[in-house]
Amino acid sequence: LNSLVHRARCSRIPSVRKEAQQGSVIFSNLREDSVDIVLPAADCPTCCKRPGSWRLKVAVTRHPLSRLVSFFQMSWAGNPQRGNWSDVRRLPEWLLHVSGLRRNADLSACFLSEDYYHTLSVSELIIESGISPSEVLVLRFEYLEQDMRLLQGKLCSEYGYCDELPKVPRLRLEGRKRKTRGSSRRSLLKRLWRMSQVRRGIELRYKDDLALMGFDSDGVTPFD
């Protein structure tokens, strides 16, 4: 009981409807109608002004180039609805357009709302959710095991949760039909990263992501 009360760190909102308050009560009428015991703050959205604000926020992401290439292979490559832009040989032009370094009017006409969404930077997506990127611990897909150890250490030292974390499975999103062998994919990424214009566009457009992930234009990347 004391633990539940201690964990209810958010102040109650007096304007919450009576029926909504009752939905969050563990025990009601314990002694009288005014007595209730609420769930922990993060589990009680009707009771707190900012549910889960004290929780550790974690994002798993990849280097911007890896993420863009993955999206192209999943949604554009071999897709007849994308016209001539479904040809993987046009990937460098597509990347230059997405990065804003060299816009293409024909390609703009093919872009849908989902394309704009999936090519936003991770920093922009975090900000759109109402969170500051500085609040988020980023786990890099390329260094997942290493970063998971950092997460486990942070959970133990700051939150008192020292149990071993479960393994995170690596799943491909491109689907079986367009599945690329690991070595071929790495070769593609290396080849693209060596293209000065592609690299410059990624570094400019996704500068905040590179900094958030601990990558920078002069540092080591997963493709080196």
Side-chain angles (χ1 to χ4, degrees):
L1 177 60
N2 289 336
S3 176
L4 286 173
V5 174
H6 177 70
R7 288 176 61 194
R9 302 182 183 184
C10 301
S11 59
R12 296 295 298 273
I13 300 176
S15 61
V16 175
R17 300 189 315 275
K18 181 67 176 178
E19 58 270 23
Q21 292 184 13
Q22 290 176 342
S24 66
V25 173
I26 298 178
F27 303 107
S28 62
N29 297 320
L30 186 62
R31 292 183 179 175
E32 56 188 27
D33 290 342
S34 62
V35 175
D36 60 21
I37 302 173
V38 300
L39 290 167
D43 302 322
C44 185
T46 63
C47 305
C48 303
K49 293 180 180 178
R50 191 182 175 194
S53 60
W54 53 272
R55 280 189 168 183
L56 177 62
K57 301 168 185 64
V58 179
V60 181
T61 187
R62 289 182 277 188
H63 189 282
L65 178 61
S66 295
R67 191 163 63 88
L68 292 174
V69 169
S70 177
F71 177 63
F72 181 88
Q73 292 176 329
M74 179 178 67
S75 184
W76 286 72
N79 184 349
Q81 296 182 350
R82 302 295 190 171
N84 293 333
W85 293 100
S86 64
D87 189 338
V88 71
R89 291 174 296 184
R90 306 201 71 176
L91 176 56
E93 294 177 76
W94 186 89
L95 290 169
L96 290 174
H97 173 83
V98 168
S99 69
L101 197 62
R102 189 187 302 161
R103 291 292 188 183
N104 185 295
D106 180 47
L107 183 52
S108 293
C110 297
F111 254 60
L112 306 174
S113 58
E114 65 183 47
D115 299 314
Y116 286 105
Y117 177 79
H118 283 289
T119 55
L120 286 173
S121 69
V122 171
S123 299
E124 290 169 323
L125 293 170
I126 291 174
I127 291 172
E128 279 192 1
S129 67
I131 301 171
S132 169
S134 61
E135 299 179 51
V136 178
L137 176 65
V138 173
L139 306 182
R140 300 163 297 179
F141 190 80
E142 296 88 352
Y143 304 105
L144 197 53
E145 292 184 6
Q146 171 185 325
D147 290 352
M148 283 291 288
R149 289 194 292 270
L150 294 176
L151 171 61
Q152 186 162 5
K154 191 174 183 69
L155 286 173
C156 185
S157 63
E158 298 184 19
Y159 293 82
Y161 183 86
C162 300
D163 293 353
E164 184 177 356
L165 297 177
K167 299 294 183 181
V168 179
R170 289 174 177 255
L171 301 177
R172 300 190 64 88
L173 301 180
E174 292 83 355
R176 292 184 178 180
K177 292 183 179 179
R178 299 180 187 135
K179 186 173 180 179
T180 306
R181 292 183 181 274
S183 58
S184 300
R185 183 179 178 81
R186 284 191 295 272
S187 297
L188 173 61
L189 292 172
K190 286 182 178 181
R191 188 166 65 253
L192 290 168
W193 195 241
R194 292 192 187 107
M195 297 179 181
S196 58
Q197 291 296 296
V198 169
R199 180 167 181 162
R200 182 165 174 262
I202 297 295
E203 290 174 346
L204 289 174
R205 173 67 180 86
Y206 299 93
K207 179 181 179 181
D208 291 341
D209 281 6
L210 294 173
L212 186 66
M213 299 176 69
F215 297 127
D216 56 62
S217 58
D218 298 322
V220 176
T221 71
F223 322 122
D224 293 327

